[in-house]
Amino acid sequence: MSTRTSASTDIYVRNAWYVAGLSEEFEPEELNQRVITEKAIVVWRARAGEVVAFDDRCCHKRMPMSAGRFIEDGLLECAYHGLCFNSAGQCVRIPSQPGLPIPSRARLRRFPVIEQDGVVWLWPGDPDRVGDVRPPPTPELVDPAWEHISGTMEVAANSVLMVENLLDVSHFYPLHASNIGKAESSTVPMQLETGQINGCNFVRSSRTAHNYDQSTDFCDMLGYAVADSYSAQTMVGPGIVLAERALWPPGKIGDNASRRALMNYHMMTPIHRGAHVYRWVVNMPAGQMSGRFPSVKSLERAREILSSVFAQDIWALERQQKACERPDEGFEEMFLKTDSAVSRGRQVLYAMQEADRSSSTAAPR
Ligand code: FES
Ligand SMILES: [Fe+2]
């Protein structure tokens, strides 16, 4: 594969699964608007329970359907002239011309949706390109043996900058020096793995360390000031990075009883080339307690510590985005040995972008 040095902000993938929200965000017959890859999309949970998504433009005069309302039988009524649509997006009533046949093209354009493991995924690209690709599993989110906290924020940076940040632990020092970061964390040897999960390419960078001095804040969240540890960041397509960390007392690696764990889902949903919605979910085994405050749950310590970590990342990304928007004038990024996962991830995303270009330009149906 060729090495590309242009900016991550050049990458913009449409044919991929992106997170529209966690299942708990979608109440029955409540209208939600999402903007994903520049497309305004109306999303709702139909009366039968299925989450559906359509182009947020009425097929009549482009009134946003997200401004409409539900009437009898789960029908969505447009706020402008009252055309009514069922949960398949088909128009079933035109108030101004009762008795006349409803044209077959009086329907909303539908986007593919998969609800899986507590997450609603949406494919904003060409529905014909979905094929066998499915979103990756997120089993901890629906497993009662795990607990989670989550948050959502809008970031004024291309989503690929966030993906690359998450694949790259060499920035823990100095960016996160005030909380989870230590200069030594980037010197632990990294394993790089690639493959497919549910038909989508993944890139994983992982590290195993023995007798490792944890940063104070990892010790606070997970216990064990000195530990054996395993950590991995797995990018699955452009929409999610799964970040896991497990600690054991020295010499006990692999032992279930003494294992302390953290599984973070980082979900990136592009709004446009210069902004994305960032959703995070922090999962921890139910009842896991802080190492520093034994009466406080690890998850509560994580809420405090990781909020400042995420704010530091966003501080950096928004500055990178602005720098990427200036003329290059011959500038070329330099890749270090520690950037191998970022580099491989970028190759995967460039290939997906190329596939977008060869895709039919047909609008979603
Ligand atoms: S724009 Fe929706 S009914 Fe006219
Ligand atoms: Fe970071």
Side-chain angles (χ1 to χ4, degrees), residues 165 171 176 313:
N165 167 288
H171 77 272
H176 303 309
D313 286 322

Side-chain angles (χ1 to χ4, degrees), residues 15 17 39 109-112 123-131 359-360 362-365:
N15 286 299
W17 288 110
K39 294 176 184 181
R109 294 173 178 175
R110 190 166 190 164
F111 290 90
W123 182 281
D126 179 353
D128 290 338
R129 298 297 294 249
V130 176
S359 166
S360 85
R365 292 166 302 176

Side-chain angles (χ1 to χ4, degrees), residues 115 145 151 162 185 227 233 253 283 306 341:
E115 185 171 18
M162 183 65 94
S185 60
Q233 294 75 36
I253 196 161
N283 301 279
L306 296 179

Side-chain angles (χ1 to χ4, degrees), residues 86-103:
N86 62 21
S87 61
Q90 187 62 51
C91 178
V92 295
R93 186 187 306 158
I94 301 178
S96 61
Q97 44 186 52
L100 291 182
I102 294 171

Side-chain angles (χ1 to χ4, degrees), residues 20-39:
L22 301 185
S23 291
E24 61 201 30
E25 294 174 50
F26 297 93
E27 294 290 337
E29 295 188 358
E30 201 174 271
L31 294 167
N32 304 272
Q33 195 201 47
R34 299 283 186 265
V35 178
I36 306 180
T37 65
E38 298 173 79
K39 294 176 184 181

